[in-house]
C-alpha cells in the first residue's frame, strides 16, 4: 500500500466523493447540505478550513433514507455506502460513503469495516417542540453516545491512571452491549423523536453537541463555492454556524488550528 501523505491528495479523493454524491442528489431531487466545519469552510474560506481534512454533509431524514436506498441499488466500481444496519464491522449511527480503492487506519479504533477515505452523512430529524421532551430525548442519546465512546477507548497513558481505570471498569460493566446495538438504538431514537412536522430539528445521532435549531434552517438551500466546485449548503448560514460555533467569524488561536483526526490513509495495492 502507498500512504497518502499529501493533504491535497486526500482532499482530492474526498472532493471526488462529494461530487459524486452531489450528482446523485441533483439527479434524484435529494436535499443535502455541507455540514459543520465543511459549511463553515464554504462560508469563511470558500473551501476547506485550512487545517481541516474531512468533509461532512447532512440530509433531512426522508432524503437520507432515499439516498441510502439508491446507493444500495447502484453498482459503482469503488464507491460504497456504509451503514450500521448492513455493513459488517461498521457501527457508526450515521452513514458514510467510502472509496474502496483506499483504506484508513486510526490508532485505537481499528477498521473492521475496511473503510476507505470517506465522507460522513448525517440525518436531520424533527424534534418535539416541548423543551422538556427535547431534554429527555437528548439525554438518552448522549448517554448512549458516551457508552459508545467509552467502549471504543484504548488504554492511553496521556489520559491518566484514574480515567483509564474508570474507562476499563465501564467497559467491563457494558461488555454485553455491543457498539452496533448502541448505534442502532441512537438512530432509532433519533428517527422516532417526532413523527410529525415540527418547528424544531437537529442532527440527533451525533452532530456538534446536538444543537436543536429552527426547522426552517434545514429547509432552505443554495449553491456555495467550495474549492473549485459548487455544492449545496444552507441559506441561513449565520444562524446555523452561530448555533454550532458561537462567534464563527473569528479564527481560533493558532494552537487550536489543527485537525482533530488522527487517521492515516493509504492507496490499496
Amino acid at each position: 500500500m502507498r500512504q497518502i501523505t499529501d493533504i491535497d491528495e486526500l482532499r482530492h479523493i474526498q472532493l471526488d466523493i462529494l461530487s459524486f454524491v452531489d450528482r446523485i442528489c441533483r439527479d434524484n431531487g435529494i436535499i443535502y447540505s455541507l455540514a459543520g466545519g465543511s459549511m463553515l469552510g464554504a462560508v469563511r474560506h470558500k473551501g476547506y478550513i485550512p487545517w481541516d481534512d474531512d468533509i461532512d454533509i447532512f440530509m433531512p431524514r426522508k432524503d437520507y433514507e432515499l439516498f441510502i436506498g439508491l446507493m444500495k441499488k447502484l453498482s459503482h466500481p469503488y464507491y460504497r455506502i456504509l451503514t450500521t444496519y448492513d455493513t459488517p464491522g461498521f457501527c457508526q449511527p450515521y452513514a458514510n460513503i467510502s472509496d474502496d480503492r483506499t483504506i484508513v487506519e486510526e490508532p485505537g479504533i481499528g477498521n473492521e469495516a475496511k473503510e476507505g477515505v470517506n465522507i460522513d452523512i448525517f440525518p436531520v430529524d424533527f424534534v418535539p417542540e416541548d423543551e422538556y421532551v427535547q431534554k429527555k430525548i437528548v439525554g438518552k442519546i448522549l448517554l448512549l453516545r458516551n457508552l459508545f465512546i467509552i467502549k471504543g477507548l484504548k488504554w492511553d497513558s496521556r489520559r491518566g491512571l484514574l480515567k483509564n481505570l474508570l474507562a476499563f471498569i465501564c467497559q467491563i460493566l457494558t461488555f454485553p452491549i455491543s457498539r452496533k446495538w448502541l448505534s442502532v438504538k441512537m438512530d432509532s431514537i433519533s428517527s422516532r423523536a417526532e413523527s410529525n412536522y415540527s418547528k424544531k430539528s437537529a442532527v440527533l445521532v451525533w452532530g456538534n453537541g446536538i444543537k436543536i435549531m429552527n426547522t426552517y434552517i434545514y429547509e432552505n438551500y443554495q449553491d456555495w463555492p467550495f474549492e473549485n466546485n459548487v455544492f449545496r449548503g444552507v441559506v441561513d448560514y449565520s444562524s446555523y454556524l452561530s448555533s454550532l460555533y458561537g462567534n464563527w467569524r473569528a479564527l481560533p488561536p493558532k494552537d487550536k488550528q489543527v485537525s482533530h483526526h488522527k487517521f492515516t490513509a493509504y492507496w490499496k495495492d
Side-chain angles (χ1 to χ4, degrees), residues 54-84:
D54 75 337
I55 293 176
D56 296 327
I57 64 175
F58 66 70
M59 298 177 182
R61 173 65 69 169
K62 64 180 180 62
D63 296 274
Y64 174 82
E65 293 180 349
L66 176 58
F67 179 81
I68 290 174
L70 286 172
M71 281 300 302
K72 287 180 180 178
K73 296 175 184 176
L74 184 65
S75 178
H76 193 277
Y78 46 84
Y79 289 149
R80 178 170 58 120
I81 186 80
L82 283 68
T83 76
T84 193

Side-chain angles (χ1 to χ4, degrees), residues 18-211:
L18 183 55
S19 294
F20 169 76
V21 171
D22 176 79
R23 186 167 63 254
I24 295 293
C25 290
R26 291 181 192 265
D27 288 348
N28 292 277
I30 295 173
I31 296 171
Y32 84 92
S33 170
L34 296 166
S38 299
M39 189 68 227
L40 174 58
V43 174
R44 198 169 66 189
H45 305 280
K46 299 189 185 306
Y48 282 90
I49 294 173
W51 53 90
D52 206 1
D53 56 7
D54 75 337
I55 293 176
D56 296 327
I57 64 175
F58 66 70
M59 298 177 182
R61 173 65 69 169
K62 64 180 180 62
D63 296 274
Y64 174 82
E65 293 180 349
L66 176 58
F67 179 81
I68 290 174
L70 286 172
M71 281 300 302
K72 287 180 180 178
K73 296 175 184 176
L74 184 65
S75 178
H76 193 277
Y78 46 84
Y79 289 149
R80 178 170 58 120
I81 186 80
L82 283 68
T83 76
T84 193
Y85 295 97
D86 51 22
T87 306
F90 185 80
C91 57
Q92 300 296 341
Y94 49 84
N96 81 28
I97 295 214
S98 170
D99 186 327
D100 275 352
R101 299 172 299 175
T102 64
I103 192 164
V104 296
E105 294 179 355
E106 191 162 1
I109 293 179
N111 187 1
E112 293 82 2
K114 307 300 181 186
E115 294 172 63
V117 176
N118 61 78
I119 67 172
D120 292 327
I121 307 173
F122 299 93
V124 177
D125 290 300
F126 290 129
V127 178
E129 295 174 23
D130 184 285
E131 292 186 6
Y132 174 73
V133 180
Q134 289 176 9
K135 290 178 180 178
K136 286 181 64 177
I137 292 171
V138 171
K140 289 179 183 178
I141 294 174
L142 288 179
L143 173 61
L144 294 168
R145 181 195 293 191
N146 288 334
L147 291 174
F148 183 93
I149 292 171
I150 287 171
K151 287 185 71 66
L153 291 177
K154 304 297 182 183
W155 190 278
D156 189 338
S157 59
R158 294 170 298 179
R159 195 182 298 123
L161 179 61
L162 181 58
K163 289 184 177 179
N164 275 311
L165 286 174
L166 286 173
F168 180 67
I169 292 169
C170 288
Q171 288 174 342
I172 292 175
L173 294 174
T174 60
F175 180 76
I177 304 172
S178 70
R179 297 183 89 203
K180 175 87 70 173
W181 184 90
L182 291 167
S183 177
V184 169
K185 192 68 174 176
M186 279 187 275
D187 185 61
S188 176
I189 292 173
S190 301
S191 64
R192 294 184 291 105
E194 177 57 77
S195 57
N196 299 314
Y197 179 88
S198 171
K199 293 180 181 178
K200 298 294 182 179
S201 295
V203 175
L204 291 171
V205 294
W206 207 256
N208 296 66
I210 305 184
K211 304 293 186 180

